[in-house]
Amino acid sequence: MDLDYIINHLGETRSDYFNAVSPPIIQSSNFAFETLNDFREAIANESKATIYTRGNNPTVRILCRKLAALESAENALVFASGSAAIGMAVISQVQSGDHIVCVQKPYSWTTKLLQNFLARFGVSHTFVDGRNLAEIEAAIQPNTRLLYLESPNSLTFELQDLEACVSLAKKHQLLTCIDNSYASPLYQKPIEYGVDIVIHSGTKYLNGHSDVVFGVICSSNAIIEKIFHGEYMTLGGIMSPHDAGLVLRGLRTLPLRLERSSSSAEKIATFLSTHPQVESIVYPGHPSFPQYELAQKQMARSGGLLSFYLRADTIEVSEHFFHQLERFLLAVSWGGHESLVLPTAAFHRIPGQADSPLPWNLFRLYIGLEDPDWLIADLERAFQSCLNLEIRQKTIPDRKS
Ligand SMILES: Cc1ncc(COP(=O)(O)O)c(C=O)c1O
């Protein structure tokens, strides 16, 4: 289906609401019926009828239709957060005694879902290096039900070969599920590779304005129906109609925002890749990325997230570099208008906590909608300031000399 049609028209029956060009936000918890027979019919058809907003709401439904189409899926359900979507998708496919093979270093709360939550209900898991197909296959047990992917992940961006993973999963009769938040549905379409369930933290690009937290599951009608009648209605982690209205507005500019963010990130990746103060960059869209060819094969582009290792002998140098940045906000998440920085040094020296296993010289940048040259100037100023730092001059020989 045509992208412009999905974004501007799909699901919007304007004649139902005075031909308004923006769909109304139907902020109603329940819906009334004229006759008993109408009510009975709705109950018989609960996943499609509007009875109660924990099940269906017209504004939320428009959003689901658009998101399903963006992912080339038959259907979709939205949730109050990306984590809720991940939780519901995984829980819906397993039962006590089952086993999940999951790529290592998925989103931190996905790790906790498997380690702390599902383990309590007798569902076990094995983390594997998703770049290594043999390791994935070796982890499959007779009770494995699900192969959980996150490609790329959101810090160092390791990929899985989607085609190969799907064919392995089919060979062992496993379902495949992927967190596709990094790439967005515009830059990677896992369902076209045969992945069964695609999840997004819609908080990121899909909403795109850093003012809504939501998640989505895109899948077949059969899987979505199962989740609707099970986890969705039972656990009730729904998205509000008001938030759905905000996301419908955000979606109108998704292609423009992604284009801007990606081309700026590409420019900044090029700038960083040759900078003497940078050890290395990590960006699937740059030829230096170890899985560059795979990224080229299965992703249209790499979006606005990239990371780099600063040349820093001490954590103080990383801290100093961070403190010089004026145009990047220190924050988690990504996908909004504003550029962000997440230094891994932040996960060291946390009072009362052991130091993170992550190195302290890694910086994740999210490149927002600002002028990339304005951001580059900020980075350059911070690099120069590190060069001038007394501690650095004493401890690090100038790479150019
Ligand atoms: C890769 C990834 N998946 C899932 C989530 C969870 O999404 P949410 O914060 O919308 O619950 C996040 C959140 O940052 C994420 O980075």
Side-chain angles (χ1 to χ4, degrees):
M1 208 183 291
D2 178 62
L3 176 61
D4 287 319
Y5 176 75
I6 296 169
I7 284 180
N8 293 299
H9 302 290
L10 181 70
E12 301 180 51
T13 22
R14 300 193 175 93
S15 54
D16 285 356
Y17 40 84
F18 311 104
N19 295 319
V21 296
S22 285
I25 295 171
I26 309 286
Q27 191 71 33
S28 183
S29 59
N30 49 351
F31 299 86
F33 292 82
E34 289 291 323
T35 69
L36 264 183
N37 272 349
D38 287 351
F39 193 34
R40 286 183 183 127
E41 242 175 63
I43 292 171
N45 202 11
E46 198 170 8
S47 65
K48 304 209 172 47
T50 37
I51 302 175
Y52 188 55
T53 283
R54 178 155 49 77
N56 261 314
N57 172 280
T59 312
V60 175
R61 194 62 218 149
I62 297 173
L63 180 61
C64 290
R65 286 195 62 188
K66 286 183 192 289
L67 295 176
L70 285 176
E71 272 296 357
S72 308
E74 285 177 356
N75 211 338
L77 277 176
V78 288
F79 295 83
S81 70
S83 280
I86 293 169
M88 309 282 180
V90 173
I91 291 167
S92 71
Q93 301 307 319
V94 292
Q95 58 189 19
S96 181
D98 285 348
H99 173 256
I100 297 170
V101 174
C102 179
V103 292
Q104 68 194 4
K105 298 192 283 174
Y107 175 57
S108 53
W109 290 96
T110 304
T111 305
K112 286 172 191 157
L113 171 75
L114 299 177
Q115 279 181 341
N116 304 347
F117 186 89
L118 284 172
R120 280 170 38 216
F121 297 92
V123 177
S124 57
H125 62 273
T126 307
F127 288 121
V128 290
D129 182 343
R131 294 167 297 188
N132 184 340
L133 212 62
E135 191 175 324
I136 299 179
E137 186 156 31
I140 296 171
Q141 303 174 8
N143 58 340
T144 305
R145 292 285 162 265
L146 190 67
L147 175 58
Y148 187 94
L149 311 173
E150 188 178 308
S151 181
N153 71 21
S154 58
L155 182 64
T156 42
F157 317 132
E158 288 87 352
L159 311 184
Q160 296 97 58
D161 183 329
L162 300 187
E163 201 176 4
C165 284
V166 166
S167 106
L168 184 66
K170 283 199 190 331
K171 180 172 144 198
H172 293 273
Q173 290 162 353
L174 313 182
L175 275 175
T176 41
C177 181
I178 186 170
D179 182 335
N180 198 28
S181 306
Y182 176 95
S184 91
L186 266 52
Y187 291 168
Q188 181 166 270
K189 293 201 187 297
I191 286 177
E192 293 179 358
Y193 286 93
V195 173
D196 297 296
I197 302 175
V198 179
I199 303 161
H200 286 272
S201 166
T203 315
K204 313 302 192 259
Y205 293 119
L206 296 175
N207 177 54
H209 292 74
S210 304
D211 51 9
V212 171
V213 174
F214 91 100
V216 58
I217 300 176
C218 301
S219 190
S220 63
N221 280 326
I223 288 176
I224 293 292
E225 278 285 312
K226 180 173 189 282
I227 297 174
F228 178 89
H229 292 289
E231 293 69 24
Y232 190 74
M233 288 297 285
T234 311
L235 301 176
I238 59 157
M239 181 180 195
S240 78
H242 185 262
D243 280 354
L246 285 172
V247 177
L248 284 171
R249 181 167 70 172
L251 271 189
R252 307 280 193 208
T253 54
L254 177 66
L256 293 174
R257 290 186 284 103
L258 269 167
E259 162 63 36
R260 170 71 168 184
S261 194
S262 306
S263 44
S264 298
E266 285 159 13
K267 186 168 190 179
I268 290 172
T270 304
F271 161 75
L272 292 171
S273 67
T274 54
H275 200 286
Q277 302 297 112
V278 171
E279 251 174 41
S280 59
I281 65 160
V282 193
Y283 187 54
H286 192 269
S288 62
F289 187 70
Q291 295 174 291
Y292 178 68
E293 277 173 20
L294 181 58
Q296 294 290 104
K297 179 186 152 203
Q298 63 190 28
M299 293 166 68
R301 263 176 114 171
S302 287
L305 270 187
L306 67 143
S307 297
F308 71 92
Y309 292 91
L310 181 73
R311 286 191 70 227
D313 273 12
T314 63
I315 189 169
E316 284 78 13
V317 177
S318 283
E319 289 173 351
H320 178 82
F321 176 82
F322 162 73
H323 284 295
Q324 302 315 302
L325 293 173
E326 292 173 1
R327 296 170 184 175
F328 291 83
L329 302 178
L330 170 60
V332 296
S333 199
W334 77 88
H337 50 89
E338 72 292 4
S339 290
L340 307 173
V341 58
L342 190 62
T344 49
F347 304 115
H348 293 254
R349 300 179 164 175
I350 299 177
Q353 286 190 20
D355 267 358
S356 160
L358 293 166
W360 35 252
N361 62 335
L362 181 63
F363 288 76
R364 186 182 82 177
L365 300 180
Y366 165 65
I367 309 303
L369 306 183
E370 307 94 328
D371 181 343
D373 291 331
W374 186 73
L375 298 171
I376 285 174
D378 196 37
L379 290 163
E380 183 56 32
R381 191 175 43 241
F383 285 130
Q384 287 307 322
S385 176
C386 285
L387 259 189
N388 297 335
L389 199 62
E390 200 188 343
I391 176 176
R392 186 175 177 83
Q393 283 168 345
K394 277 195 203 134
T395 55
I396 305 176
D398 185 348
R399 216 156 82 160
K400 284 188 208 146
S401 61

